[in-house]
Amino acid sequence: MSTNHKLTATSRKVEGKGASRRLRLSGYVPAVIYGGTEAPQAVQVLHNDVLLGSRFESFYSSVIDLTVDGKLQKILIKDWQKHPFKQLMLHMDFQRVNENEVLKVAVPVHFLNQEKSPAGKTAGLVISHNLTEVTVSCLPKDLPEFIELDLAKLSAGDIVHLSDLKLPAGVEIPELGLGKEHDVAVVTVASVQEEVDPEPAAGAEAPAAEDKPADKK
């Protein structure tokens, strides 16, 4: 079951850096809704509501029910600005969603059973997750929260490509339509050999120490 995320917003008429700063101080996040046939709309969202939603991984890759001044609309979070080190959202961009139009959204990849795989049980192997999310295209109703990748059979030397991912019905990876060179590796397994300094050959003389200049008296 997909998580049904909801947010409530109100319109804002005053814009600019000063107005945005005052909004943040009063516990709101300034945001803009754009897309579709309507003009961009400046809104404000309670910061605590954003923090609660962001506890879920799917918050940033799901269609959200956004109620603005009592009117419900479907949106995606397309961009956001966070404070460099504080748990503070500075600004957000929302994109309107049409239920009959195909979306392109980056969704996370969940790696399953890696520790149970032959590669996961073998010393000296490094399993690299080259991609942790993948961009998919689909109608809003088919948008998955994540893509699962079962690594139970992963062995030394294996490479898992985009084309190896099992996608839900109605979901595609647009990159795969651009040619074989775009079928990039999602997971790779490589051997790691410990580097050992070579021992000197038998009978080899140790390098002579550099002559030191005589002390001057």
Side-chain angles (χ1 to χ4, degrees):
M1 285 291 292
S2 298
T3 305
N4 185 19
H5 297 289
K6 298 180 180 181
L7 286 175
T8 301
T10 53
S11 302
R12 58 186 175 97
K13 296 181 179 180
V14 182
E15 301 183 46
K17 292 183 178 180
S20 295
R21 190 180 302 112
R22 289 191 293 272
L23 275 178
R24 296 184 194 106
L25 289 174
S26 60
Y28 286 88
V29 181
V32 175
I33 309 171
Y34 66 90
T37 57
E38 300 179 43
Q41 181 181 10
V43 297
Q44 59 193 41
V45 186
L46 276 171
H47 192 272
N48 282 346
D49 289 349
V50 174
L51 285 183
L52 288 174
S54 64
R55 294 185 304 172
F56 297 89
E57 179 188 47
S58 60
F59 184 64
Y60 294 102
S61 58
S62 296
V63 176
I64 295 174
D65 290 339
L66 178 67
T67 302
V68 182
D69 300 333
K71 181 182 177 182
L72 178 65
Q73 53 187 302
K74 304 283 187 178
I75 60 98
L76 281 171
I77 299 174
K78 293 302 292 183
D79 197 12
W80 61 90
Q81 299 172 15
K82 293 181 178 179
H83 194 278
F85 55 88
K86 294 181 181 179
Q87 194 176 15
L88 181 65
M89 187 71 74
L90 301 177
H91 189 273
M92 304 183 78
D93 286 342
F94 301 144
Q95 179 184 343
R96 297 184 182 96
V97 170
N98 184 328
E99 62 181 359
N100 297 314
E101 292 183 358
V102 171
L103 301 170
K104 284 187 179 181
V105 183
V107 298
V109 178
H110 287 186
F111 303 95
L112 307 179
N113 300 318
Q114 175 175 303
E115 67 284 352
K116 299 177 182 179
S117 68
K121 295 178 180 178
T122 303
L125 294 181
V126 174
I127 302 173
S128 300
H129 298 168
N130 302 314
L131 296 179
T132 56
E133 63 179 22
V134 59
T135 298
V136 301
S137 62
C138 60
L139 291 173
K141 67 180 181 64
D142 297 323
L143 181 62
E145 289 189 5
F146 51 83
I147 302 294
E148 289 186 343
L149 177 55
D150 190 350
L151 301 177
K153 297 181 180 180
L154 196 67
S155 299
D158 281 352
I159 301 177
V160 181
H161 293 88
L162 277 177
S163 57
D164 297 318
L165 296 177
K166 294 183 179 180
L167 304 175
V171 179
E172 298 179 349
I173 298 177
E175 239 181 319
L176 293 178
L178 301 177
K180 292 183 178 180
E181 65 274 15
H182 292 273
D183 190 11
V184 298
V186 180
V187 175
T188 55
V189 184
S191 299
V192 176
Q193 295 182 351
E194 185 178 354
E195 293 186 2
V196 180
D197 293 333
E199 296 183 2
E205 294 183 0
E210 294 183 2
D211 293 334
K212 295 182 180 180
D215 294 337
K216 295 182 179 179
K217 293 183 179 180

